[in-house]
Amino acid sequence: MSACCDHGHDHGPPPSSDRYRLILWVALIANAAMFVVELAAGLAAGSVSLQADALDFFGDAANYAVSLAVLGMALAWRARASLVKSASMAAFGIWVLGQAAFNLATGVVPEPMTMGVVGTAALAVNIGVALLLYRYREGDSNMRSVWLCTRNDALGNIAVLAAALGVFGTGAGWPDLIVAGAMAALALTSSVQVTRHALQELRVPA
Ligand SMILES: [Zn+2]
């Protein structure tokens, strides 16, 4: 779910081999692409849970970008990068909550087919990226981080699929709103934690 990969600032140790860097690039592009696809599909289908799930792809793409970009740089730069990331995730989370409130007020019923198709694609991308990272992991600690991230991301994708089923079954928008609300709340909580952690790191003299 949205809080998943934000416990650290990146996905494991800094990339040292060319092959591992390539995998990180693939992961970055796949996550950034799914962010755009899920956000666009969420807007088109009137589904807030799809938009909330897109938040996670945004956060993960940012994590991979940080892993690649600030490699070998001072901790302070990594901390600043995660401040920017958590601020944008918080803004996006608030926006998702606003969209949810709008849908609630106007009684928008999202289109469950789009939710199902895009949610399934999101699940496939998350599992595919996890398999890549798992296969080319460097060090044992990364194994655990890949597993935790993927499990939480998959749970988020499955929550979207459950919301799609709920919307399909009830013909109402509330299953979408409940899932979106929970995911946005998680993202907000997590960005507060990341912000605290980053501020702490910035306070430590280099
Ligand atoms: Zn994630």
Side-chain angles (χ1 to χ4, degrees):
M1 214 161 287
S2 307
C4 65
C5 311
D6 301 328
H7 301 306
H9 293 157
D10 54 26
H11 292 251
S16 54
S17 73
D18 286 347
R19 196 172 60 174
Y20 191 61
R21 285 183 71 86
L22 179 68
I23 298 299
L24 287 182
W25 270 109
V26 172
L28 166 60
I29 291 164
N31 277 273
M34 275 314 297
F35 164 64
V36 174
V37 167
E38 233 182 9
L39 182 61
L43 286 169
S47 164
V48 209
S49 66
L50 269 185
Q51 294 170 48
D53 201 37
L55 234 161
D56 181 71
F57 283 114
F58 173 81
D60 291 352
N63 283 337
Y64 292 119
V66 168
S67 294
L68 283 161
V70 297
L71 162 72
M73 278 190 189
L75 181 67
W77 281 105
R78 298 174 78 88
R80 277 175 206 129
S82 44
L83 275 183
V84 173
K85 190 199 78 177
S86 57
S88 15
M89 287 196 70
F92 193 19
I94 289 166
W95 184 72
V96 166
L97 287 179
Q99 290 279 108
F102 177 81
N103 277 17
L104 185 65
T106 53
V108 170
V109 177
E111 210 280 289
M113 270 320 192
T114 308
M115 292 170 70
V117 170
V118 177
T120 305
L123 186 60
V125 167
N126 275 323
I127 290 172
V129 167
L131 288 175
L132 273 177
L133 286 171
Y134 185 83
R135 216 177 141 202
Y136 295 101
R137 68 191 182 271
E138 289 187 339
D140 290 334
S141 62
N142 202 35
M143 213 169 88
R144 186 169 163 74
S145 122
V146 168
W147 154 243
L148 288 176
C149 260
T150 309
R151 187 198 59 189
N152 294 337
D153 285 352
L155 285 175
N157 304 145
I158 289 165
V160 170
L161 295 179
L165 265 183
V167 169
F168 182 74
T170 61
W174 58 264
D176 185 52
L177 297 181
I178 288 173
V179 168
M183 290 172 95
L186 261 176
L188 286 173
T189 314
S190 138
S191 61
V192 169
Q193 282 167 357
V194 173
T195 303
R196 266 203 209 124
H197 189 131
L199 287 176
Q200 241 169 35
E201 283 177 349
L202 283 173
R203 245 178 266 129
V204 176

